[in-house]
Amino acid sequence: MLDRELVYAAIADMRENREQHDAIHEMQHCVVLAGPGSGKTKTLTAAIARALLDDVFEPRGVACITYNNECALELEGRLAKLGIEPSSRIFIGTVHGFALSQVISPYARCVLPELPPIFRVATEAERRGIVEDAYKTIFGSAGDPHQMWRFAVEKRLRQVNRDAPSWRGRNPELARFVEEYERQLHAQGLIDFDDMPLLAYRMIAKHRWIAEALEARFPVLFVDEYQDLGHALHELVLKLCFDGRMRLFAVGDVDQSIYAFTGANPQLLAGLAERPDVKTYRLRFNYRSGTTIINASMAALGEDRGYVAPNGTSTGVVEFRAHSGDTQDQARDIAENLVPQLIERGFAPEEIAILYREASLGSDMALALAWMNLPFVRADNQALVKRSSRLARFVEACARWVTGGWKEANPLFRRLADEAVNLVKGPYATNDERHAVHLQLIEFLQKSIGVDETAHLWLIRLRDTLITPWAQSAADLTEDWKTIDLMIERTASSSPNENMPLAHLGGRIEGGGRINLSTLHSAKGREFDAVILFAMNSDVIPSWRDRTPEAVKEARRLFYVGVTRPRKELHVCFRAKQNSPWVKELFDRLHPSS
């Protein structure tokens, strides 16, 4: 139940920040350009709450599209504090989730004869097999189908409108490859993740009544991290909000666009912000970092955005640490000296992050920390829990509940149960289906309380008791179900997480937490008291892979993301005389007389 007093208090709290206050009261299309630490999620949350309180009345609601499931979970948590829970009139989720649950599932059988009434998401093996078959049909047996598919995927993601002359006029062989792949995919009753927003766009573009149904249900569309969401989402926004009647509230930052490999394009947000029918607000205050770190971030970006810290904010610390040896030597110095010094000075391990560009560097760092018996958690492709995986986050939350969270209602069982239903049966579960999933979950969780077993053994029991049966009956058979096997593998004997306590998996660790190891990509959206940028060398950032001017610009934005993560201290580590050119620019700005 929406709490009016809490919502009004949250809005009143923004009165001293004119840009935030005006943005959440805006009644026309609105873009909020929100730099690091500027209160982006707070602004978005308040705008959603105010719309539900003042503008949108039952049975109508709002939809909020986020970059990934973790962003959706964070937003749900903040809205829950204001008494707002996801429901049939409030959608919060990814663009893929929106496309599937709000467009494809309800309307595909009416307008997509090529897709059978019962379909599912293809597995990786199925996708690869169809790519090979489609390639053979179009090109014959010579050549590498998967190498050609990489080019086809780029065309598929960027050229959303298949009616445009450029679809077949530019690289027509790739267009035929994509079309043959999709024909075979759909003939087998399958779709893939890239398919979801593309199908939704085509359905809305060709059938105005579908857009009208969405507009009637969701008069306001909120979009978080707009710069990361790509061309399909942008075309959906144009159709629903500018050709249609939905009101748009978009939040993003072109300077943090670092996902070109998924089809993201910062110019989409930049162009949207410049439209005459859009009101644009730029949030100036950085509530996260001190003035020294803000100054460093402008040097990292290579442009000044005019960000300032609120009055009374500490200056922050930026230190440079040159090493004469290789990355392993850097890792040893960080583990043996820098991290212990930070802990000795009062930094909690869980508020220290070591960031790097590639997961292989994370492995060097993990070995050095393990040698020093310093606990850590990884957020890269070697992570125990994939931050983007709904199933992994659900498993982690269940581990937290059975190791003491049930006493504090953290997390609430009701939220765990609802997430289980969404995973297994989707948004259209019947009451009987919901009841059955709830009973299965509570029976397993109650039997887990007080049981002395490692995370590995508990994960095996969870898989065998719940996850495997759920996967077999799930409405949406995605690759996500295989995440449990990866978690079991990474807690097995001989793994770095051997004998991990269950409380450790749930994040309930007595006497302190774990140091964060993360790629720069995975660190986006997070913040820490102290950040160590590891291996900021001239051959790492930028690297030989950054071959085009656009790739170099994105690498620089990636460096900027790392520099803007700390609240209090930033430590930049690099190989002496082979540091990144951007490290030198950062140093020169902070030490102009050196």
Side-chain angles (χ1 to χ4, degrees), residues 14-73:
M14 295 183 176
R15 285 177 182 161
E16 294 185 5
N17 187 320
R18 183 62 181 268
E19 291 86 0
Q20 281 184 331
H21 188 266
D22 289 352
I24 64 175
H25 287 88
E26 185 57 58
M27 294 300 293
Q28 69 180 77
H29 295 314
C30 175
V31 167
V32 179
L33 299 177
S38 61
K40 170 186 69 71
T41 307
K42 181 180 179 181
T43 304
L44 181 61
T45 303
I48 293 172
R50 194 209 61 77
L52 290 169
L53 195 63
D54 297 337
D55 305 335
V56 181
F57 305 106
E58 293 190 37
R60 307 181 84 191
V62 300
C64 180
I65 294 175
T66 66
Y67 176 65
N68 58 30
N69 288 312
E70 184 169 5
C71 293
L73 288 170

Short mmCIF file of all heavy atoms in Angstrom, two decimals, residues 14-73:
data_model
loop_
_atom_site.label_atom_id
_atom_site.label_comp_id
_atom_site.label_asym_id
_atom_site.label_seq_id
_atom_site.Cartn_x
_atom_site.Cartn_y
_atom_site.Cartn_z
N MET A 14 14.01 16.60 -1.34
CA MET A 14 14.71 17.02 -2.54
C MET A 14 14.57 18.52 -2.83
O MET A 14 15.07 19.00 -3.84
CB MET A 14 14.19 16.24 -3.75
CG MET A 14 14.47 14.75 -3.68
SD MET A 14 13.92 13.90 -5.17
CE MET A 14 14.50 12.25 -4.84
N ARG A 15 13.92 19.26 -1.97
CA ARG A 15 13.66 20.67 -2.26
C ARG A 15 14.93 21.49 -2.42
O ARG A 15 14.97 22.45 -3.18
CB ARG A 15 12.79 21.27 -1.15
CG ARG A 15 11.33 20.86 -1.24
CD ARG A 15 10.52 21.40 -0.10
NE ARG A 15 9.12 20.95 -0.20
CZ ARG A 15 8.28 20.95 0.81
NH1 ARG A 15 8.68 21.38 2.01
NH2 ARG A 15 7.03 20.54 0.65
N GLU A 16 15.99 21.09 -1.71
CA GLU A 16 17.22 21.86 -1.80
C GLU A 16 18.00 21.58 -3.08
O GLU A 16 18.92 22.32 -3.42
CB GLU A 16 18.11 21.57 -0.58
CG GLU A 16 17.52 22.07 0.73
CD GLU A 16 18.45 21.88 1.90
OE1 GLU A 16 19.60 21.44 1.68
OE2 GLU A 16 18.04 22.17 3.04
N ASN A 17 17.63 20.53 -3.78
CA ASN A 17 18.24 20.23 -5.08
C ASN A 17 17.20 20.54 -6.15
O ASN A 17 16.33 19.74 -6.45
CB ASN A 17 18.66 18.76 -5.15
CG ASN A 17 19.45 18.43 -6.40
OD1 ASN A 17 19.14 18.92 -7.47
ND2 ASN A 17 20.46 17.60 -6.26
N ARG A 18 17.32 21.74 -6.72
CA ARG A 18 16.28 22.24 -7.61
C ARG A 18 16.07 21.34 -8.83
O ARG A 18 14.92 21.11 -9.26
CB ARG A 18 16.65 23.66 -8.07
CG ARG A 18 15.61 24.34 -8.96
CD ARG A 18 14.30 24.50 -8.22
NE ARG A 18 13.31 25.14 -9.05
CZ ARG A 18 13.09 26.45 -9.10
NH1 ARG A 18 13.83 27.26 -8.35
NH2 ARG A 18 12.15 26.96 -9.87
N GLU A 19 17.16 20.84 -9.39
CA GLU A 19 17.04 20.00 -10.58
C GLU A 19 16.27 18.71 -10.28
O GLU A 19 15.39 18.30 -11.03
CB GLU A 19 18.41 19.66 -11.16
CG GLU A 19 19.14 20.84 -11.78
CD GLU A 19 19.93 21.64 -10.75
OE1 GLU A 19 19.90 21.27 -9.55
OE2 GLU A 19 20.57 22.64 -11.13
N GLN A 20 16.60 18.05 -9.15
CA GLN A 20 15.88 16.84 -8.76
C GLN A 20 14.40 17.15 -8.53
O GLN A 20 13.52 16.44 -9.01
CB GLN A 20 16.48 16.25 -7.48
CG GLN A 20 17.75 15.45 -7.67
CD GLN A 20 18.20 14.82 -6.36
OE1 GLN A 20 17.94 15.36 -5.28
NE2 GLN A 20 18.88 13.71 -6.45
N HIS A 21 14.15 18.21 -7.77
CA HIS A 21 12.78 18.56 -7.39
C HIS A 21 11.93 18.86 -8.62
O HIS A 21 10.80 18.39 -8.76
CB HIS A 21 12.80 19.75 -6.44
CG HIS A 21 11.46 20.07 -5.84
ND1 HIS A 21 10.61 20.99 -6.39
CD2 HIS A 21 10.83 19.55 -4.74
CE1 HIS A 21 9.50 21.06 -5.65
NE2 HIS A 21 9.61 20.19 -4.65
N ASP A 22 12.48 19.65 -9.55
CA ASP A 22 11.73 20.01 -10.75
C ASP A 22 11.52 18.80 -11.66
O ASP A 22 10.45 18.65 -12.28
CB ASP A 22 12.45 21.11 -11.52
CG ASP A 22 12.40 22.46 -10.80
OD1 ASP A 22 11.66 22.55 -9.79
OD2 ASP A 22 13.08 23.39 -11.23
N ALA A 23 12.52 17.93 -11.74
CA ALA A 23 12.42 16.77 -12.63
C ALA A 23 11.29 15.84 -12.19
O ALA A 23 10.51 15.36 -13.03
CB ALA A 23 13.74 16.01 -12.66
N ILE A 24 11.17 15.57 -10.90
CA ILE A 24 10.16 14.62 -10.46
C ILE A 24 8.74 15.18 -10.58
O ILE A 24 7.77 14.42 -10.53
CB ILE A 24 10.42 14.12 -9.02
CG1 ILE A 24 10.30 15.27 -8.01
CG2 ILE A 24 11.77 13.44 -8.91
CD1 ILE A 24 10.42 14.81 -6.57
N HIS A 25 8.63 16.52 -10.75
CA HIS A 25 7.31 17.12 -10.94
C HIS A 25 7.02 17.42 -12.41
O HIS A 25 5.96 17.96 -12.73
CB HIS A 25 7.20 18.42 -10.13
CG HIS A 25 7.07 18.20 -8.66
ND1 HIS A 25 8.17 18.09 -7.82
CD2 HIS A 25 5.98 18.05 -7.87
CE1 HIS A 25 7.75 17.89 -6.58
NE2 HIS A 25 6.43 17.85 -6.58
N GLU A 26 7.95 17.07 -13.31
CA GLU A 26 7.77 17.38 -14.73
C GLU A 26 6.61 16.58 -15.32
O GLU A 26 6.49 15.38 -15.06
CB GLU A 26 9.07 17.06 -15.49
CG GLU A 26 9.04 17.45 -16.94
CD GLU A 26 8.74 18.91 -17.15
OE1 GLU A 26 9.50 19.76 -16.62
OE2 GLU A 26 7.74 19.22 -17.83
N MET A 27 5.78 17.25 -16.13
CA MET A 27 4.60 16.60 -16.68
C MET A 27 4.68 16.38 -18.19
O MET A 27 3.75 15.88 -18.80
CB MET A 27 3.35 17.44 -16.36
CG MET A 27 3.03 17.49 -14.87
SD MET A 27 2.73 15.85 -14.17
CE MET A 27 1.21 15.40 -14.99
N GLN A 28 5.82 16.77 -18.80
CA GLN A 28 6.00 16.44 -20.20
C GLN A 28 7.14 15.43 -20.31
O GLN A 28 7.70 15.00 -19.30
CB GLN A 28 6.31 17.70 -21.02
CG GLN A 28 7.66 18.33 -20.75
CD GLN A 28 7.90 19.57 -21.60
OE1 GLN A 28 7.37 20.64 -21.32
NE2 GLN A 28 8.70 19.42 -22.65
N HIS A 29 7.47 15.00 -21.54
CA HIS A 29 8.58 14.08 -21.69
C HIS A 29 9.82 14.67 -21.02
O HIS A 29 10.12 15.85 -21.18
CB HIS A 29 8.89 13.85 -23.17
CG HIS A 29 7.77 13.17 -23.92
ND1 HIS A 29 7.12 12.06 -23.44
CD2 HIS A 29 7.21 13.45 -25.13
CE1 HIS A 29 6.22 11.67 -24.32
NE2 HIS A 29 6.24 12.50 -25.35
N CYS A 30 10.53 13.82 -20.29
CA CYS A 30 11.61 14.32 -19.43
C CYS A 30 12.82 13.41 -19.52
O CYS A 30 12.69 12.18 -19.48
CB CYS A 30 11.11 14.40 -17.99
SG CYS A 30 12.35 14.87 -16.78
N VAL A 31 14.01 14.01 -19.66
CA VAL A 31 15.27 13.28 -19.59
C VAL A 31 16.09 13.87 -18.46
O VAL A 31 16.28 15.10 -18.38
CB VAL A 31 16.06 13.38 -20.91
CG1 VAL A 31 17.50 12.89 -20.72
CG2 VAL A 31 15.38 12.56 -22.00
N VAL A 32 16.57 13.02 -17.57
CA VAL A 32 17.43 13.44 -16.47
C VAL A 32 18.83 12.90 -16.74
O VAL A 32 19.05 11.69 -16.77
CB VAL A 32 16.92 12.91 -15.11
CG1 VAL A 32 17.85 13.35 -13.98
CG2 VAL A 32 15.50 13.40 -14.84
N LEU A 33 19.77 13.81 -16.99
CA LEU A 33 21.17 13.44 -17.19
C LEU A 33 21.84 13.43 -15.82
O LEU A 33 22.02 14.48 -15.20
CB LEU A 33 21.85 14.42 -18.15
CG LEU A 33 21.23 14.49 -19.55
CD1 LEU A 33 21.93 15.54 -20.39
CD2 LEU A 33 21.28 13.13 -20.24
N ALA A 34 22.17 12.25 -15.35
CA ALA A 34 22.59 12.07 -13.96
C ALA A 34 23.98 11.48 -13.91
O ALA A 34 24.18 10.32 -14.26
CB ALA A 34 21.61 11.16 -13.23
N GLY A 35 24.96 12.28 -13.48
CA GLY A 35 26.33 11.81 -13.37
C GLY A 35 26.52 10.91 -12.16
O GLY A 35 25.59 10.66 -11.38
N PRO A 36 27.73 10.40 -11.97
CA PRO A 36 28.00 9.50 -10.84
C PRO A 36 27.69 10.17 -9.49
O PRO A 36 28.03 11.33 -9.27
CB PRO A 36 29.51 9.24 -10.97
CG PRO A 36 29.82 9.49 -12.40
CD PRO A 36 28.92 10.60 -12.82
N GLY A 37 27.02 9.41 -8.62
CA GLY A 37 26.75 9.89 -7.27
C GLY A 37 25.76 11.02 -7.19
O GLY A 37 25.66 11.69 -6.15
N SER A 38 24.97 11.24 -8.24
CA SER A 38 24.08 12.40 -8.27
C SER A 38 22.68 12.12 -7.74
O SER A 38 21.81 12.98 -7.81
CB SER A 38 23.98 12.94 -9.70
OG SER A 38 23.45 11.95 -10.57
N GLY A 39 22.44 10.92 -7.23
CA GLY A 39 21.12 10.59 -6.71
C GLY A 39 20.16 10.15 -7.79
O GLY A 39 18.95 10.38 -7.70
N LYS A 40 20.67 9.47 -8.82
CA LYS A 40 19.85 9.03 -9.95
C LYS A 40 18.70 8.14 -9.51
O LYS A 40 17.53 8.39 -9.85
CB LYS A 40 20.74 8.29 -10.94
CG LYS A 40 19.99 7.56 -12.05
CD LYS A 40 20.91 6.73 -12.90
CE LYS A 40 21.47 5.54 -12.18
NZ LYS A 40 20.45 4.49 -11.92
N THR A 41 19.01 7.08 -8.75
CA THR A 41 17.98 6.14 -8.36
C THR A 41 16.99 6.77 -7.40
O THR A 41 15.78 6.49 -7.45
CB THR A 41 18.61 4.88 -7.74
OG1 THR A 41 19.60 4.35 -8.63
CG2 THR A 41 17.56 3.81 -7.47
N LYS A 42 17.48 7.64 -6.54
CA LYS A 42 16.59 8.37 -5.62
C LYS A 42 15.61 9.22 -6.40
O LYS A 42 14.41 9.28 -6.08
CB LYS A 42 17.44 9.24 -4.69
CG LYS A 42 16.65 10.03 -3.67
CD LYS A 42 17.60 10.85 -2.80
CE LYS A 42 16.83 11.68 -1.77
NZ LYS A 42 17.75 12.50 -0.94
N THR A 43 16.10 9.90 -7.44
CA THR A 43 15.24 10.73 -8.27
C THR A 43 14.22 9.89 -9.01
O THR A 43 13.02 10.23 -9.06
CB THR A 43 16.09 11.53 -9.29
OG1 THR A 43 17.07 12.29 -8.58
CG2 THR A 43 15.23 12.46 -10.12
N LEU A 44 14.65 8.78 -9.59
CA LEU A 44 13.76 7.89 -10.32
C LEU A 44 12.68 7.32 -9.40
O LEU A 44 11.50 7.28 -9.75
CB LEU A 44 14.57 6.77 -10.97
CG LEU A 44 13.80 5.74 -11.80
CD1 LEU A 44 13.10 6.41 -12.97
CD2 LEU A 44 14.75 4.66 -12.30
N THR A 45 13.09 6.89 -8.21
CA THR A 45 12.14 6.32 -7.25
C THR A 45 11.09 7.35 -6.87
O THR A 45 9.88 7.04 -6.84
CB THR A 45 12.89 5.85 -5.99
OG1 THR A 45 13.89 4.91 -6.35
CG2 THR A 45 11.93 5.22 -5.00
N ALA A 46 11.53 8.57 -6.56
CA ALA A 46 10.59 9.62 -6.17
C ALA A 46 9.65 9.97 -7.32
O ALA A 46 8.45 10.24 -7.09
CB ALA A 46 11.36 10.86 -5.71
N ALA A 47 10.16 9.98 -8.55
CA ALA A 47 9.32 10.30 -9.69
C ALA A 47 8.24 9.24 -9.90
O ALA A 47 7.08 9.56 -10.20
CB ALA A 47 10.18 10.44 -10.95
N ILE A 48 8.61 7.96 -9.75
CA ILE A 48 7.62 6.88 -9.87
C ILE A 48 6.56 7.00 -8.79
O ILE A 48 5.35 6.91 -9.05
CB ILE A 48 8.32 5.51 -9.80
CG1 ILE A 48 9.21 5.29 -11.02
CG2 ILE A 48 7.29 4.38 -9.68
CD1 ILE A 48 10.08 4.04 -10.93
N ALA A 49 7.01 7.22 -7.55
CA ALA A 49 6.08 7.32 -6.43
C ALA A 49 5.14 8.52 -6.61
O ALA A 49 3.93 8.41 -6.36
CB ALA A 49 6.85 7.44 -5.13
N ARG A 50 5.68 9.66 -7.02
CA ARG A 50 4.84 10.85 -7.20
C ARG A 50 3.82 10.64 -8.30
O ARG A 50 2.65 11.03 -8.19
CB ARG A 50 5.70 12.07 -7.50
CG ARG A 50 4.94 13.40 -7.36
CD ARG A 50 5.47 14.47 -8.27
NE ARG A 50 5.38 14.12 -9.68
CZ ARG A 50 4.24 14.19 -10.39
NH1 ARG A 50 3.12 14.57 -9.81
NH2 ARG A 50 4.25 13.86 -11.66
N ALA A 51 4.24 9.98 -9.40
CA ALA A 51 3.30 9.72 -10.49
C ALA A 51 2.15 8.84 -10.02
O ALA A 51 0.97 9.10 -10.33
CB ALA A 51 4.03 9.05 -11.66
N LEU A 52 2.46 7.79 -9.25
CA LEU A 52 1.41 6.90 -8.75
C LEU A 52 0.51 7.60 -7.74
O LEU A 52 -0.67 7.27 -7.61
CB LEU A 52 2.05 5.67 -8.11
CG LEU A 52 2.71 4.68 -9.09
CD1 LEU A 52 3.53 3.65 -8.32
CD2 LEU A 52 1.67 3.99 -9.96
N LEU A 53 1.06 8.59 -7.05
CA LEU A 53 0.29 9.31 -6.04
C LEU A 53 -0.61 10.37 -6.66
O LEU A 53 -1.78 10.53 -6.25
CB LEU A 53 1.25 9.98 -5.05
CG LEU A 53 0.67 10.47 -3.73
CD1 LEU A 53 0.13 9.31 -2.92
CD2 LEU A 53 1.75 11.20 -2.94
N ASP A 54 -0.11 11.09 -7.67
CA ASP A 54 -0.81 12.28 -8.16
C ASP A 54 -1.36 12.17 -9.58
O ASP A 54 -2.31 12.88 -9.92
CB ASP A 54 0.15 13.49 -8.13
CG ASP A 54 0.60 13.84 -6.73
OD1 ASP A 54 -0.11 13.48 -5.77
OD2 ASP A 54 1.67 14.47 -6.59
N ASP A 55 -0.77 11.33 -10.43
CA ASP A 55 -1.09 11.37 -11.86
C ASP A 55 -1.77 10.12 -12.39
O ASP A 55 -2.54 10.20 -13.35
CB ASP A 55 0.18 11.60 -12.70
CG ASP A 55 0.95 12.82 -12.27
OD1 ASP A 55 0.35 13.74 -11.71
OD2 ASP A 55 2.18 12.85 -12.51
N VAL A 56 -1.42 8.96 -11.86
CA VAL A 56 -1.86 7.69 -12.44
C VAL A 56 -2.69 6.94 -11.40
O VAL A 56 -2.19 6.59 -10.34
CB VAL A 56 -0.64 6.82 -12.86
CG1 VAL A 56 -1.12 5.52 -13.48
CG2 VAL A 56 0.25 7.58 -13.82
N PHE A 57 -3.93 6.68 -11.73
CA PHE A 57 -4.85 6.11 -10.76
C PHE A 57 -5.34 4.74 -11.22
O PHE A 57 -5.42 4.46 -12.42
CB PHE A 57 -6.03 7.05 -10.53
CG PHE A 57 -5.60 8.45 -10.12
CD1 PHE A 57 -5.68 9.49 -11.03
CD2 PHE A 57 -5.07 8.68 -8.87
CE1 PHE A 57 -5.27 10.77 -10.68
CE2 PHE A 57 -4.64 9.95 -8.51
CZ PHE A 57 -4.74 11.00 -9.41
N GLU A 58 -5.62 3.88 -10.25
CA GLU A 58 -6.05 2.52 -10.54
C GLU A 58 -7.26 2.53 -11.48
O GLU A 58 -8.11 3.41 -11.37
CB GLU A 58 -6.39 1.78 -9.24
CG GLU A 58 -5.17 1.54 -8.35
CD GLU A 58 -5.49 0.61 -7.21
OE1 GLU A 58 -6.28 -0.34 -7.42
OE2 GLU A 58 -4.98 0.83 -6.12
N PRO A 59 -7.31 1.58 -12.39
CA PRO A 59 -6.43 0.40 -12.53
C PRO A 59 -5.19 0.66 -13.38
O PRO A 59 -4.43 -0.27 -13.62
CB PRO A 59 -7.34 -0.61 -13.21
CG PRO A 59 -8.20 0.23 -14.11
CD PRO A 59 -8.45 1.50 -13.33
N ARG A 60 -4.98 1.90 -13.85
CA ARG A 60 -3.80 2.19 -14.66
C ARG A 60 -2.57 2.18 -13.77
O ARG A 60 -2.65 2.30 -12.54
CB ARG A 60 -3.95 3.53 -15.36
CG ARG A 60 -5.23 3.67 -16.17
CD ARG A 60 -5.32 4.99 -16.87
NE ARG A 60 -4.60 4.97 -18.14
CZ ARG A 60 -4.34 6.06 -18.84
NH1 ARG A 60 -4.70 7.26 -18.39
NH2 ARG A 60 -3.70 5.97 -20.00
N GLY A 61 -1.40 2.07 -14.40
CA GLY A 61 -0.17 1.99 -13.62
C GLY A 61 1.00 2.58 -14.39
O GLY A 61 0.82 3.40 -15.30
N VAL A 62 2.21 2.15 -14.03
CA VAL A 62 3.42 2.64 -14.69
C VAL A 62 4.32 1.45 -15.01
O VAL A 62 4.24 0.40 -14.37
CB VAL A 62 4.20 3.65 -13.81
CG1 VAL A 62 3.33 4.86 -13.50
CG2 VAL A 62 4.71 3.00 -12.53
N ALA A 63 5.18 1.65 -15.99
CA ALA A 63 6.20 0.64 -16.32
C ALA A 63 7.56 1.29 -16.18
O ALA A 63 7.75 2.44 -16.57
CB ALA A 63 6.01 0.12 -17.74
N CYS A 64 8.50 0.55 -15.62
CA CYS A 64 9.88 1.04 -15.48
C CYS A 64 10.81 -0.01 -16.07
O CYS A 64 10.85 -1.15 -15.58
CB CYS A 64 10.24 1.32 -14.03
SG CYS A 64 11.93 1.93 -13.84
N ILE A 65 11.53 0.36 -17.11
CA ILE A 65 12.48 -0.54 -17.77
C ILE A 65 13.88 -0.23 -17.27
O ILE A 65 14.32 0.92 -17.30
CB ILE A 65 12.39 -0.38 -19.29
CG1 ILE A 65 11.02 -0.86 -19.78
CG2 ILE A 65 13.50 -1.15 -19.99
CD1 ILE A 65 10.78 -0.65 -21.26
N THR A 66 14.59 -1.25 -16.82
CA THR A 66 15.93 -1.10 -16.26
C THR A 66 16.93 -1.87 -17.11
O THR A 66 16.56 -2.69 -17.96
CB THR A 66 16.00 -1.61 -14.81
OG1 THR A 66 15.77 -3.03 -14.82
CG2 THR A 66 14.94 -0.95 -13.94
N TYR A 67 18.22 -1.63 -16.85
CA TYR A 67 19.26 -2.28 -17.66
C TYR A 67 19.37 -3.77 -17.37
O TYR A 67 19.49 -4.58 -18.27
CB TYR A 67 20.61 -1.61 -17.42
CG TYR A 67 21.74 -2.30 -18.16
CD1 TYR A 67 21.77 -2.30 -19.56
CD2 TYR A 67 22.74 -2.98 -17.48
CE1 TYR A 67 22.78 -2.96 -20.25
CE2 TYR A 67 23.75 -3.63 -18.16
CZ TYR A 67 23.77 -3.62 -19.55
OH TYR A 67 24.76 -4.28 -20.22
N ASN A 68 19.35 -4.16 -16.09
CA ASN A 68 19.47 -5.57 -15.76
C ASN A 68 18.63 -5.88 -14.53
O ASN A 68 18.01 -4.99 -13.93
CB ASN A 68 20.93 -5.99 -15.55
CG ASN A 68 21.62 -5.18 -14.46
OD1 ASN A 68 20.99 -4.72 -13.51
ND2 ASN A 68 22.94 -5.00 -14.60
N ASN A 69 18.59 -7.15 -14.17
CA ASN A 69 17.74 -7.57 -13.04
C ASN A 69 18.20 -6.98 -11.73
O ASN A 69 17.38 -6.73 -10.83
CB ASN A 69 17.72 -9.10 -12.96
CG ASN A 69 16.93 -9.73 -14.10
OD1 ASN A 69 15.81 -9.32 -14.37
ND2 ASN A 69 17.51 -10.70 -14.77
N GLU A 70 19.51 -6.77 -11.57
CA GLU A 70 19.99 -6.19 -10.32
C GLU A 70 19.48 -4.76 -10.14
O GLU A 70 19.08 -4.37 -9.05
CB GLU A 70 21.51 -6.21 -10.26
CG GLU A 70 22.02 -5.71 -8.92
CD GLU A 70 23.50 -5.97 -8.73
OE1 GLU A 70 24.15 -6.44 -9.68
OE2 GLU A 70 23.98 -5.67 -7.64
N CYS A 71 19.48 -3.98 -11.24
CA CYS A 71 18.92 -2.63 -11.17
C CYS A 71 17.45 -2.69 -10.78
O CYS A 71 16.97 -1.87 -9.99
CB CYS A 71 19.07 -1.92 -12.51
SG CYS A 71 20.77 -1.57 -12.99
N ALA A 72 16.72 -3.66 -11.35
CA ALA A 72 15.30 -3.80 -11.03
C ALA A 72 15.11 -4.14 -9.56
O ALA A 72 14.22 -3.59 -8.89
CB ALA A 72 14.67 -4.88 -11.91
N LEU A 73 15.95 -5.03 -9.02
CA LEU A 73 15.84 -5.41 -7.62
C LEU A 73 16.12 -4.22 -6.69
O LEU A 73 15.44 -4.03 -5.68
CB LEU A 73 16.80 -6.56 -7.31
CG LEU A 73 16.43 -7.93 -7.87
CD1 LEU A 73 17.57 -8.91 -7.69
CD2 LEU A 73 15.17 -8.46 -7.20
#
